[in-house]
Amino acid sequence: MAEYHPQELDKKWQAHWANTQAFEVTEDPSKPKFYCLEMFAYPSGHAHVGHVRNYIIGDVVARLKRLQGFNVLHPFGWDAFGLPAENAAIKSGIDPETSTLGNIAHMKGQLQRLGISYAWGRELATCLPEYYRWNQWLFTRMFEKGLAYRRRSTVNWCPVDQTVLANEQVVDGACWRCGTKVEQKDLEQWFFRITAYADDLLHAAEGLSKWPEKVLTMQRNWIGRSEGARVKFPIQGRDGSIEVFTTRIDTIFGATFVMLAPEHALVSVLAKESADEKGFLEQAQRYRGQDRAGRLTGEVAKEGFFTGRFAINPFTNQPVPIWVANYVLGEYGTGAVMAVPAHDERDLDFARKYDLPIVQVVRDDDVLFNSGAYSGLTADAARAAITEAAEERGIGEAKVQFRLKDWGISRQRYWGTPIPMIHCPVDGVVPVPDDQLPVTLPKITEFTGRGDSPLASVPEFVNVTCPKCGGPARRETDTMDTFVDSSWYFYRFADAHNDQMPFDPKKVAYWCPVDFYSGGVEHAILHLIYSRFFARVFHDLGMIEHTEPFTHLLTQGMVLKDGHVMSKSKGNVVDPDTMIEKFGSDALRLYVMFVAPPEKEVEWTDTGLEGSFRFLARVWRVANQWQADAVDLRHVTIDQGALTAAERSMRRKTHDTIRRVTADIDVRQQMNTAVSAMMELVNELYLFTDKGERSSQASLVAREAIEALMVMLSPFAPHTAEELWQMYGHSEGLAKASWPVFDAAVAKAEELEIPVQVNGKLRARVVVAPDIADAELEKIALADPNVQAHTAGKTIKKVVIAKGRLVSVVVA
RNA sequence: GCGGGAGUGGCGGAAUUGGCAGACGCGCUAGCCUCAGGAGCUAGUCCGGGCAACCGGGUGGAGGUUCGAGUCCUCUCUUCCGCACCA
């Protein structure tokens, strides 16, 4: 018998798949399509088993769907722009392109050594002009539609990375990459108007039935819709008013003061009118500094100061003091709020601290008092009535407020997509004409990591002529957030080499949306919301029909080592190549799928991997034992009537396993139990092999089991399965194989073991025919000696029979 | 504080959705085979009692519904994750 040498099988079959381009596909309307995608990779250099788990999960699904007759698109690519490559350039002088392409080459090798069935012909890297020119093309379309716009805004500035960060990239007041405390800075920035789709993104999320509830909840919170009203409070003794946003307009009779965020536009105006402008502004500036950094670490107390001015509460007509408060957010609502200390805990804290008036206007039973004409109304009714009154008086309106803000995409960095815009002193902002795209990144020889965008230091890049007037103009020197790259790459895979358009709508119409998308939960908000946004943009450009890009989302759990996330700095990284050298890629693949359901976090164990290797070796040996006297199943049918009891039992196990594995993989998506079902089949096969006769019938029965096993195992352990499949005479390979068919008649039990309970306690098991009548079953159950022992001398009150499952006897 | 999960042997996890709790694997124990074994095979492995048949207990805790609860309901504890002064 041949020894099991998985490493040789890896080499042999990986070469075969590459030579035959086994996983390349084209649109074929005669076949149902399946688009299986794993989140593409940032080319950090080395993939560890945590990363690789995701690709294995996707590959199992892709290979399974192929066996089920689907035309499967399973591509891979590289999210290749980003800070680390540029930081490496600053540190060691290595050109970002060189290091990135080198990392891609290495990681691609790692994935190929795992036997992941990618259509490598569609591979893309976002740092190549063939790809990023379409970022620029799309940016121009969005500019034309008003979805990309420029404004001066306060941005999060990382003093170490010397760049602007999106709000989403600020974690606990610090830079998401380097952990430095983020500062505030005013800059001209490009934004994408994602807020135009806020309501739709929120509501459409309800229809994403195959997304994890957790992700949908996170997106809902992120979009943060709240219904309320805007109301104007006139400023006493001068023109103008303060507009506030509130969800509790019913409490407006209890609004005893008004607060401004420190960055509110009125702050500097009121400062000028105050006795101590300098002190006023310094105080406000101090609050702004506290803002993100301090607030999010939770240690900043509520603080504020009186501006010296009053506003008029438009419903009580009383003057209310205007304060500046550090806990009012400039970026939310109008940046000003009415304070109702009696009915808001935060306002109450503040009012107590500064001794401001507290007026109750809503009783515990939610009915208003002290509220003029609205007294006696319920809070709900009052909200509607007061909003309506405000509208009639022209001082307010109902307003839906979102937490979601427009997406700032400008980055003052080199290693990203150049924004295709030109600033002309005559014509203003002018897009680079489509036929001049791509605007390619110039080579830079020295990376300092200081100051403005590195591109600003390349005169040949910056100095251009205006496309409109032909006069001298200046090119935009910011690059795009890398999240732009990853927001539509899944469409590019459908038509990866198109040099006329981002993609042919017909090809995307065939392949998209993505049927199965898997990746880390860390992308639950940013990547997945931006992608949903881009799908809507493409939809509104008339390029795609659908609006939701991912039908089914799986968020895979992390792989821990010694209780921690794997990381180079912790030194707890498990390298897939080392494991493959020891046990072969199939054992690694199988282990990763067997250890736990894919969403769960798991702890890596070497012994678990060894167990999976042992299982594959067992499969190998038992298949080899039956290989010599194998008969070709394709030309012989099994005569069920001629089989021995042991043979019938073996077949029953085979078909029951087919049923379980099919349901586990396809319906329940529990790969781990699918594997354990196959392990049970192999255990049974060993008993059959050791104890049974070696008749030609036995041979057929064993072969049926083994061949079904090979096919079912092939998504998990494709190299071993291919080799065995070939050994069994299938020269055409598993690509031509089809999923085994479950035969209910063969799987049907000949007898059943039915548990019998007396007063809820298990007392016996009786063996009966599967189609036994209830009355007969009851008789047999009651006749069982142990049941007799527990019912003797007692009255049988009731007997419950659960068909084919259980008999429950109640006695008193 | 708000929201979403999760609590089952020594460990990872099963339990076909209200019907035999602990499948499968890891680990461990004993035996066989072996010059040897990080190989292979066989048996055992929830806890307590018993040679055994069997008996009692058991899914974080307390109640409840039911002939029957890991699963459903109420309360509670622990823990992980996300958001967090959003007016």
Side-chain angles (χ1 to χ4, degrees):
Chain A
M1 188 201 298
E3 289 278 316
Y4 179 51
H5 290 304
Q7 295 82 358
E8 289 169 16
L9 305 185
D10 285 356
K11 283 205 190 70
K12 171 178 169 181
W13 290 103
Q14 282 162 19
H16 177 257
W17 294 327
N19 294 338
T20 56
Q21 303 201 320
F23 310 116
E24 304 299 336
V25 281
T26 51
E27 299 77 46
D28 177 354
S30 71
K31 279 170 100 182
K33 69 91 183 178
F34 193 90
Y35 187 173
C36 179
L37 184 66
E38 298 97 63
M39 289 180 189
F40 67 169
Y42 178 77
S44 58
H46 298 267
H48 60 59
V49 295
H51 301 122
V52 145
R53 184 186 190 191
N54 190 33
Y55 311 133
I56 295 173
I57 291 166
D59 198 42
V60 170
V61 173
R63 287 178 180 271
L64 176 80
K65 289 293 167 186
R66 281 189 203 105
L67 284 169
Q68 291 179 331
F70 287 89
N71 191 24
V72 175
L73 175 60
H74 189 216
F76 199 71
W78 309 96
D79 188 13
F81 273 137
L83 281 179
E86 190 168 344
N87 289 343
I90 293 162
K91 262 192 194 157
S92 54
I94 307 165
D95 173 53
E97 185 175 8
T98 307
S99 66
T100 301
L101 295 180
N103 286 348
I104 287 174
H106 181 260
M107 289 173 75
K108 183 176 179 179
Q110 287 188 298
L111 294 178
Q112 286 173 325
R113 285 189 288 280
L114 277 160
I116 310 287
S117 63
Y118 287 132
W120 285 111
R122 293 170 187 256
E123 180 182 10
L124 61 81
T126 57
C127 65
L128 301 176
E130 300 89 275
Y131 184 83
Y132 69 67
R133 75 174 284 188
W134 302 113
N135 282 346
Q136 296 170 338
W137 180 91
L138 184 64
F139 187 100
T140 306
R141 299 289 85 73
M142 290 171 76
F143 178 74
E144 289 163 356
K145 293 201 120 209
L147 289 171
Y149 67 94
R150 200 168 128 89
R151 73 171 145 87
R152 192 167 186 84
S153 76
T154 305
V155 294
N156 307 297
W157 176 260
C158 175
V160 169
D161 289 336
Q162 286 281 306
T163 191
V164 167
L165 299 169
N167 288 327
E168 298 89 324
Q169 293 168 337
V170 178
V171 180
D172 290 341
C175 173
W176 69 320
R177 280 202 188 281
C178 64
T180 311
K181 189 178 152 187
V182 168
E183 296 170 358
Q184 307 294 304
K185 192 171 171 176
D186 284 335
L187 280 179
E188 285 285 327
Q189 300 287 303
W190 285 98
F191 287 84
F192 283 163
R193 205 179 298 280
I194 190 172
T195 52
Y197 295 89
D199 230 353
D200 186 38
L201 287 168
L202 185 71
H203 286 115
E206 306 299 326
L208 296 172
S209 60
K210 290 169 135 186
W211 280 41
E213 195 50 47
K214 176 188 173 132
V215 172
L216 293 174
T217 304
M218 285 165 75
Q219 293 211 349
R220 260 181 234 120
N221 291 344
W222 191 258
I223 296 167
R225 183 181 197 273
S226 54
E227 288 181 17
R230 288 194 174 186
V231 188
K232 283 178 182 151
F233 282 57
I235 301 170
Q236 192 178 43
R238 102 194 252 297
D239 286 345
S241 61
I242 296 172
E243 190 175 31
V244 303
F245 173 73
T246 178
T247 54
R248 292 296 308 274
I249 197 169
D250 53 303
T251 64
I252 197 163
F253 285 82
T256 52
F257 56 104
V258 169
M259 297 177 294
L260 301 175
E263 55 268 64
H264 195 283
L266 212 53
V267 167
S268 56
V269 178
L270 295 182
K272 275 200 190 83
E273 298 172 7
S274 74
D276 177 15
E277 181 183 357
K278 198 170 160 242
F280 194 120
L281 285 177
E282 271 173 7
Q283 187 83 317
Q285 196 56 41
R286 192 167 65 77
Y287 296 164
R288 287 184 70 174
Q290 284 175 345
D291 208 62
R292 298 219 150 254
R295 184 174 71 233
L296 294 172
T297 50
E299 292 305 310
V300 174
K302 289 182 180 53
E303 204 184 325
F305 63 89
F306 177 46
T307 60
R309 283 276 187 184
F310 289 80
I312 304 295
N313 181 323
F315 281 81
T316 64
N317 292 317
Q318 295 299 307
V320 292
I322 301 169
W323 283 63
V324 174
N326 66 345
Y327 71 97
V328 177
L329 305 171
E331 71 263 28
Y332 185 75
T334 60
V337 296
M338 62 179 211
V340 186
H343 303 290
D344 184 291
E345 250 179 75
R346 298 156 298 178
D347 297 346
L348 184 61
D349 283 354
F350 195 83
R352 282 190 175 143
K353 179 168 180 177
Y354 295 105
D355 205 19
L356 291 157
I358 301 166
V359 177
Q360 290 209 21
V361 292
V362 184
R363 295 201 312 249
D364 286 349
D365 64 355
D366 251 18
V367 173
L368 270 66
F369 70 107
N370 268 345
S371 298
Y374 305 95
S375 295
L377 289 181
T378 63
D380 280 346
R383 268 196 281 278
I386 298 175
T387 304
E388 199 180 323
E391 278 173 5
E392 274 167 19
R393 290 168 54 191
I395 55 160
E397 57 179 349
K399 173 83 185 171
V400 175
Q401 185 67 45
F402 291 95
R403 211 192 75 121
L404 182 73
K405 290 185 275 289
D406 279 338
W407 173 16
I409 60 118
S410 293
R411 296 294 179 273
Q412 288 68 45
R413 300 300 301 216
Y414 167 76
W415 194 230
T417 304
I419 292 172
M421 290 288 151
I422 287 166
H423 302 283
C424 172
V426 179
D427 295 304
V429 177
V430 181
V432 175
D434 285 354
D435 59 13
Q436 289 173 33
L437 296 180
V439 175
T440 51
L441 267 181
K443 284 272 177 198
I444 282 191
T445 46
E446 208 185 343
F447 289 87
T448 62
R450 313 219 136 262
D452 285 338
S453 172
L455 293 179
S457 64
V458 185
E460 322 71 283
F461 180 82
V462 176
N463 300 319
V464 289
T465 53
C466 171
K468 260 193 189 160
C469 67
R474 197 180 149 79
R475 196 189 288 283
E476 169 71 53
T477 55
D478 285 355
T479 54
M480 296 183 203
D481 182 1
T482 56
F483 276 96
V484 175
D485 312 342
S486 56
S487 294
W488 69 280
Y489 75 101
F490 40 90
Y491 292 131
R492 183 68 178 172
F493 277 136
D495 191 13
H497 305 297
N498 195 326
D499 60 3
Q500 301 300 310
M501 327 163 71
F503 52 79
D504 178 348
K506 285 199 285 294
K507 291 188 175 179
V508 165
Y510 177 81
W511 289 113
C512 296
V514 175
D515 295 280
F516 178 86
Y517 194 38
S518 70
V521 72
E522 66 272 19
H523 295 110
I525 297 177
L526 307 186
H527 165 57
L528 290 169
I529 272 195
Y530 294 153
S531 297
R532 295 180 63 215
F533 165 48
F534 268 44
R536 283 157 173 78
V537 174
F538 279 120
H539 177 268
D540 291 353
L541 288 171
M543 294 175 72
I544 62 175
E545 293 281 328
H546 63 275
T547 48
E548 287 300 338
F550 312 119
T551 305
H552 182 172
L553 175 71
L554 184 139
T555 51
Q556 119 265 11
M558 285 188 295
V559 181
L560 308 183
K561 176 76 165 101
D562 308 321
H564 296 102
V565 179
M566 288 180 194
S567 74
K568 246 187 257 172
S569 57
K570 286 206 187 73
N572 63 345
V573 171
V574 179
D575 172 28
D577 283 313
T578 312
M579 298 300 141
I580 289 171
E581 276 163 34
K582 272 180 150 170
F583 301 105
S585 67
D586 285 346
L588 175 58
R589 294 170 57 112
L590 190 74
Y591 167 65
V592 160
M593 298 311 297
F594 175 62
V595 66
E599 309 80 20
K600 278 206 79 147
E601 195 168 87
V602 292
E603 172 73 26
W604 174 267
T605 60
D606 288 351
T607 52
L609 176 60
E610 285 170 35
S612 292
F613 171 80
R614 276 202 288 275
F615 169 70
L616 290 174
R618 266 164 78 76
V619 171
W620 179 265
R621 284 197 305 273
V622 81
N624 272 272
Q625 283 186 51
W626 289 98
Q627 191 263 333
D629 51 346
V631 216
D632 196 331
L633 264 181
R634 285 168 296 184
H635 308 301
V636 187
T637 41
I638 300 175
D639 177 7
Q640 184 76 358
L643 301 181
T644 65
E647 287 158 0
R648 289 199 304 274
S649 170
M650 186 67 239
R651 286 202 80 194
R652 193 151 56 235
K653 187 68 181 177
T654 300
H655 282 271
D656 197 47
T657 305
I658 293 169
R659 181 186 60 80
R660 285 172 62 190
V661 171
T662 307
D664 282 354
I665 294 180
D666 213 23
V667 184
R668 307 199 310 158
Q669 262 157 17
Q670 294 229 125
M671 310 297 186
N672 54 330
T673 52
V675 175
S676 63
M678 289 189 272
M679 287 172 166
E680 284 185 51
L681 177 63
V682 172
N683 290 345
E684 190 83 9
L685 210 38
Y686 265 77
L687 292 178
F688 183 75
T689 304
D690 291 347
K691 295 181 180 163
E693 299 168 43
R694 302 284 288 219
S695 65
S696 61
Q697 286 292 354
S699 226
L700 278 172
V701 168
R703 185 176 180 117
E704 179 189 35
I706 292 165
E707 291 200 358
L709 177 67
M710 288 172 189
V711 177
M712 291 189 291
L713 194 58
S714 69
F716 301 88
H719 310 83
T720 306
E722 284 277 18
E723 183 71 16
L724 292 173
W725 191 245
Q726 189 184 54
M727 188 192 288
Y728 267 51
H730 300 282
S731 53
E732 70 287 355
L734 276 164
K736 294 277 185 288
S738 52
W739 194 252
V741 178
F742 170 63
D743 185 336
V746 173
K748 191 171 190 287
E750 290 170 14
E751 50 188 27
L752 287 179
E753 199 187 58
I754 307 280
V756 184
Q757 294 182 347
V758 179
N759 282 357
K761 286 194 192 305
L762 178 68
R763 294 304 179 189
R765 295 181 178 88
V766 294
V767 175
V768 297
D771 50 358
I772 190 168
D774 284 0
E776 182 68 11
L777 175 59
E778 180 175 336
K779 218 167 94 186
I780 293 172
L782 292 173
D784 180 273
N786 206 40
V787 173
Q788 287 273 310
H790 287 89
T791 53
K794 291 171 181 162
T795 318
I796 293 173
K797 288 176 66 182
K798 191 164 152 189
V799 179
V800 181
I801 294 179
K803 261 259 177 283
R805 288 192 183 275
L806 167 135
V807 177
S808 182
V809 182
V810 189
V811 297

PDB file of all heavy atoms in Angstrom, chain A residues 385-404:
ATOM      1  N   ALA A 385     -48.077  68.196  18.568  1.00  0.00           N
ATOM      2  CA  ALA A 385     -48.756  69.501  18.630  1.00  0.00           C
ATOM      3  C   ALA A 385     -47.768  70.656  18.690  1.00  0.00           C
ATOM      4  O   ALA A 385     -47.938  71.673  17.998  1.00  0.00           O
ATOM      5  CB  ALA A 385     -49.687  69.527  19.850  1.00  0.00           C
ATOM      6  N   ILE A 386     -46.726  70.507  19.488  1.00  0.00           N
ATOM      7  CA  ILE A 386     -45.768  71.603  19.640  1.00  0.00           C
ATOM      8  C   ILE A 386     -44.948  71.764  18.366  1.00  0.00           C
ATOM      9  O   ILE A 386     -44.657  72.883  17.925  1.00  0.00           O
ATOM     10  CB  ILE A 386     -44.875  71.386  20.881  1.00  0.00           C
ATOM     11  CG1 ILE A 386     -45.744  71.377  22.151  1.00  0.00           C
ATOM     12  CG2 ILE A 386     -43.798  72.461  20.976  1.00  0.00           C
ATOM     13  CD1 ILE A 386     -45.001  71.049  23.425  1.00  0.00           C
ATOM     14  N   THR A 387     -44.594  70.631  17.725  1.00  0.00           N
ATOM     15  CA  THR A 387     -43.860  70.710  16.459  1.00  0.00           C
ATOM     16  C   THR A 387     -44.697  71.454  15.419  1.00  0.00           C
ATOM     17  O   THR A 387     -44.204  72.329  14.699  1.00  0.00           O
ATOM     18  CB  THR A 387     -43.510  69.298  15.940  1.00  0.00           C
ATOM     19  OG1 THR A 387     -42.786  68.608  16.947  1.00  0.00           O
ATOM     20  CG2 THR A 387     -42.673  69.368  14.673  1.00  0.00           C
ATOM     21  N   GLU A 388     -45.982  71.107  15.381  1.00  0.00           N
ATOM     22  CA  GLU A 388     -46.879  71.744  14.412  1.00  0.00           C
ATOM     23  C   GLU A 388     -46.971  73.246  14.671  1.00  0.00           C
ATOM     24  O   GLU A 388     -46.892  74.059  13.752  1.00  0.00           O
ATOM     25  CB  GLU A 388     -48.265  71.106  14.523  1.00  0.00           C
ATOM     26  CG  GLU A 388     -49.136  71.339  13.307  1.00  0.00           C
ATOM     27  CD  GLU A 388     -50.505  70.679  13.462  1.00  0.00           C
ATOM     28  OE1 GLU A 388     -50.566  69.561  14.046  1.00  0.00           O
ATOM     29  OE2 GLU A 388     -51.500  71.283  13.033  1.00  0.00           O
ATOM     30  N   ALA A 389     -47.085  73.597  15.952  1.00  0.00           N
ATOM     31  CA  ALA A 389     -47.174  75.014  16.315  1.00  0.00           C
ATOM     32  C   ALA A 389     -45.907  75.755  15.897  1.00  0.00           C
ATOM     33  O   ALA A 389     -45.964  76.875  15.369  1.00  0.00           O
ATOM     34  CB  ALA A 389     -47.390  75.144  17.823  1.00  0.00           C
ATOM     35  N   ALA A 390     -44.757  75.115  16.108  1.00  0.00           N
ATOM     36  CA  ALA A 390     -43.486  75.738  15.743  1.00  0.00           C
ATOM     37  C   ALA A 390     -43.419  75.958  14.235  1.00  0.00           C
ATOM     38  O   ALA A 390     -42.930  76.983  13.754  1.00  0.00           O
ATOM     39  CB  ALA A 390     -42.323  74.879  16.220  1.00  0.00           C
ATOM     40  N   GLU A 391     -43.909  74.972  13.492  1.00  0.00           N
ATOM     41  CA  GLU A 391     -43.908  75.087  12.027  1.00  0.00           C
ATOM     42  C   GLU A 391     -44.796  76.242  11.581  1.00  0.00           C
ATOM     43  O   GLU A 391     -44.418  77.039  10.716  1.00  0.00           O
ATOM     44  CB  GLU A 391     -44.354  73.762  11.386  1.00  0.00           C
ATOM     45  CG  GLU A 391     -43.199  72.768  11.292  1.00  0.00           C
ATOM     46  CD  GLU A 391     -43.608  71.378  10.827  1.00  0.00           C
ATOM     47  OE1 GLU A 391     -44.791  71.166  10.483  1.00  0.00           O
ATOM     48  OE2 GLU A 391     -42.725  70.496  10.826  1.00  0.00           O
ATOM     49  N   GLU A 392     -45.981  76.322  12.187  1.00  0.00           N
ATOM     50  CA  GLU A 392     -46.909  77.401  11.825  1.00  0.00           C
ATOM     51  C   GLU A 392     -46.322  78.777  12.103  1.00  0.00           C
ATOM     52  O   GLU A 392     -46.512  79.712  11.329  1.00  0.00           O
ATOM     53  CB  GLU A 392     -48.229  77.246  12.594  1.00  0.00           C
ATOM     54  CG  GLU A 392     -49.207  76.310  11.896  1.00  0.00           C
ATOM     55  CD  GLU A 392     -50.363  75.916  12.802  1.00  0.00           C
ATOM     56  OE1 GLU A 392     -50.611  76.628  13.800  1.00  0.00           O
ATOM     57  OE2 GLU A 392     -50.997  74.885  12.514  1.00  0.00           O
ATOM     58  N   ARG A 393     -45.595  78.850  13.187  1.00  0.00           N
ATOM     59  CA  ARG A 393     -44.997  80.140  13.538  1.00  0.00           C
ATOM     60  C   ARG A 393     -43.692  80.394  12.783  1.00  0.00           C
ATOM     61  O   ARG A 393     -43.075  81.443  12.955  1.00  0.00           O
ATOM     62  CB  ARG A 393     -44.716  80.193  15.047  1.00  0.00           C
ATOM     63  CG  ARG A 393     -46.006  80.268  15.879  1.00  0.00           C
ATOM     64  CD  ARG A 393     -45.745  80.039  17.353  1.00  0.00           C
ATOM     65  NE  ARG A 393     -44.718  80.927  17.888  1.00  0.00           N
ATOM     66  CZ  ARG A 393     -44.169  80.790  19.089  1.00  0.00           C
ATOM     67  NH1 ARG A 393     -44.539  79.788  19.879  1.00  0.00           N
ATOM     68  NH2 ARG A 393     -43.249  81.632  19.495  1.00  0.00           N
ATOM     69  N   GLY A 394     -43.250  79.421  11.991  1.00  0.00           N
ATOM     70  CA  GLY A 394     -42.032  79.581  11.214  1.00  0.00           C
ATOM     71  C   GLY A 394     -40.773  79.578  12.046  1.00  0.00           C
ATOM     72  O   GLY A 394     -39.736  80.114  11.637  1.00  0.00           O
ATOM     73  N   ILE A 395     -40.825  78.978  13.226  1.00  0.00           N
ATOM     74  CA  ILE A 395     -39.631  78.973  14.084  1.00  0.00           C
ATOM     75  C   ILE A 395     -39.068  77.561  14.248  1.00  0.00           C
ATOM     76  O   ILE A 395     -38.096  77.368  14.994  1.00  0.00           O
ATOM     77  CB  ILE A 395     -39.935  79.550  15.478  1.00  0.00           C
ATOM     78  CG1 ILE A 395     -41.104  78.786  16.112  1.00  0.00           C
ATOM     79  CG2 ILE A 395     -40.215  81.042  15.389  1.00  0.00           C
ATOM     80  CD1 ILE A 395     -41.171  78.943  17.615  1.00  0.00           C
ATOM     81  N   GLY A 396     -39.646  76.605  13.559  1.00  0.00           N
ATOM     82  CA  GLY A 396     -39.131  75.252  13.730  1.00  0.00           C
ATOM     83  C   GLY A 396     -39.753  74.282  12.749  1.00  0.00           C
ATOM     84  O   GLY A 396     -40.662  74.648  11.991  1.00  0.00           O
ATOM     85  N   GLU A 397     -39.237  73.064  12.760  1.00  0.00           N
ATOM     86  CA  GLU A 397     -39.762  72.037  11.859  1.00  0.00           C
ATOM     87  C   GLU A 397     -39.377  70.668  12.381  1.00  0.00           C
ATOM     88  O   GLU A 397     -38.375  70.512  13.086  1.00  0.00           O
ATOM     89  CB  GLU A 397     -39.198  72.224  10.451  1.00  0.00           C
ATOM     90  CG  GLU A 397     -37.677  72.196  10.457  1.00  0.00           C
ATOM     91  CD  GLU A 397     -37.063  72.365   9.075  1.00  0.00           C
ATOM     92  OE1 GLU A 397     -37.802  72.297   8.090  1.00  0.00           O
ATOM     93  OE2 GLU A 397     -35.839  72.535   9.013  1.00  0.00           O
ATOM     94  N   ALA A 398     -40.198  69.669  11.984  1.00  0.00           N
ATOM     95  CA  ALA A 398     -39.845  68.285  12.296  1.00  0.00           C
ATOM     96  C   ALA A 398     -38.576  67.943  11.537  1.00  0.00           C
ATOM     97  O   ALA A 398     -38.385  68.410  10.411  1.00  0.00           O
ATOM     98  CB  ALA A 398     -40.983  67.354  11.889  1.00  0.00           C
ATOM     99  N   LYS A 399     -37.719  67.160  12.146  1.00  0.00           N
ATOM    100  CA  LYS A 399     -36.427  66.893  11.513  1.00  0.00           C
ATOM    101  C   LYS A 399     -35.934  65.502  11.902  1.00  0.00           C
ATOM    102  O   LYS A 399     -35.959  65.132  13.072  1.00  0.00           O
ATOM    103  CB  LYS A 399     -35.422  67.956  11.983  1.00  0.00           C
ATOM    104  CG  LYS A 399     -34.011  67.728  11.541  1.00  0.00           C
ATOM    105  CD  LYS A 399     -33.794  68.238  10.131  1.00  0.00           C
ATOM    106  CE  LYS A 399     -32.389  67.882   9.646  1.00  0.00           C
ATOM    107  NZ  LYS A 399     -32.213  68.159   8.226  1.00  0.00           N
ATOM    108  N   VAL A 400     -35.526  64.751  10.889  1.00  0.00           N
ATOM    109  CA  VAL A 400     -34.884  63.470  11.170  1.00  0.00           C
ATOM    110  C   VAL A 400     -33.380  63.683  11.155  1.00  0.00           C
ATOM    111  O   VAL A 400     -32.832  64.199  10.183  1.00  0.00           O
ATOM    112  CB  VAL A 400     -35.277  62.400  10.135  1.00  0.00           C
ATOM    113  CG1 VAL A 400     -34.488  61.120  10.382  1.00  0.00           C
ATOM    114  CG2 VAL A 400     -36.772  62.130  10.210  1.00  0.00           C
ATOM    115  N   GLN A 401     -32.748  63.344  12.226  1.00  0.00           N
ATOM    116  CA  GLN A 401     -31.321  63.585  12.365  1.00  0.00           C
ATOM    117  C   GLN A 401     -30.560  62.262  12.302  1.00  0.00           C
ATOM    118  O   GLN A 401     -30.968  61.285  12.920  1.00  0.00           O
ATOM    119  CB  GLN A 401     -31.065  64.269  13.717  1.00  0.00           C
ATOM    120  CG  GLN A 401     -29.648  64.677  13.956  1.00  0.00           C
ATOM    121  CD  GLN A 401     -29.214  65.790  13.011  1.00  0.00           C
ATOM    122  OE1 GLN A 401     -29.931  66.745  12.812  1.00  0.00           O
ATOM    123  NE2 GLN A 401     -28.050  65.624  12.410  1.00  0.00           N
ATOM    124  N   PHE A 402     -29.481  62.240  11.544  1.00  0.00           N
ATOM    125  CA  PHE A 402     -28.642  61.042  11.491  1.00  0.00           C
ATOM    126  C   PHE A 402     -27.314  61.298  12.167  1.00  0.00           C
ATOM    127  O   PHE A 402     -26.787  62.403  12.143  1.00  0.00           O
ATOM    128  CB  PHE A 402     -28.399  60.621  10.036  1.00  0.00           C
ATOM    129  CG  PHE A 402     -29.639  60.106   9.371  1.00  0.00           C
ATOM    130  CD1 PHE A 402     -30.435  60.949   8.613  1.00  0.00           C
ATOM    131  CD2 PHE A 402     -30.015  58.792   9.534  1.00  0.00           C
ATOM    132  CE1 PHE A 402     -31.588  60.475   8.021  1.00  0.00           C
ATOM    133  CE2 PHE A 402     -31.166  58.307   8.938  1.00  0.00           C
ATOM    134  CZ  PHE A 402     -31.957  59.152   8.180  1.00  0.00           C
ATOM    135  N   ARG A 403     -26.799  60.225  12.731  1.00  0.00           N
ATOM    136  CA  ARG A 403     -25.482  60.281  13.322  1.00  0.00           C
ATOM    137  C   ARG A 403     -24.408  60.161  12.236  1.00  0.00           C
ATOM    138  O   ARG A 403     -23.304  60.658  12.358  1.00  0.00           O
ATOM    139  CB  ARG A 403     -25.345  59.120  14.309  1.00  0.00           C
ATOM    140  CG  ARG A 403     -24.458  59.381  15.486  1.00  0.00           C
ATOM    141  CD  ARG A 403     -24.184  58.074  16.205  1.00  0.00           C
ATOM    142  NE  ARG A 403     -23.247  57.289  15.438  1.00  0.00           N
ATOM    143  CZ  ARG A 403     -22.069  56.880  15.907  1.00  0.00           C
ATOM    144  NH1 ARG A 403     -21.733  57.143  17.146  1.00  0.00           N
ATOM    145  NH2 ARG A 403     -21.255  56.180  15.157  1.00  0.00           N
ATOM    146  N   LEU A 404     -24.787  59.434  11.181  1.00  0.00           N
ATOM    147  CA  LEU A 404     -23.890  59.231  10.049  1.00  0.00           C
ATOM    148  C   LEU A 404     -23.492  60.571   9.453  1.00  0.00           C
ATOM    149  O   LEU A 404     -24.341  61.435   9.241  1.00  0.00           O
ATOM    150  CB  LEU A 404     -24.604  58.395   8.978  1.00  0.00           C
ATOM    151  CG  LEU A 404     -23.807  58.022   7.731  1.00  0.00           C
ATOM    152  CD1 LEU A 404     -22.772  56.963   8.064  1.00  0.00           C
ATOM    153  CD2 LEU A 404     -24.736  57.538   6.638  1.00  0.00           C
TER     154      LEU A 404
END
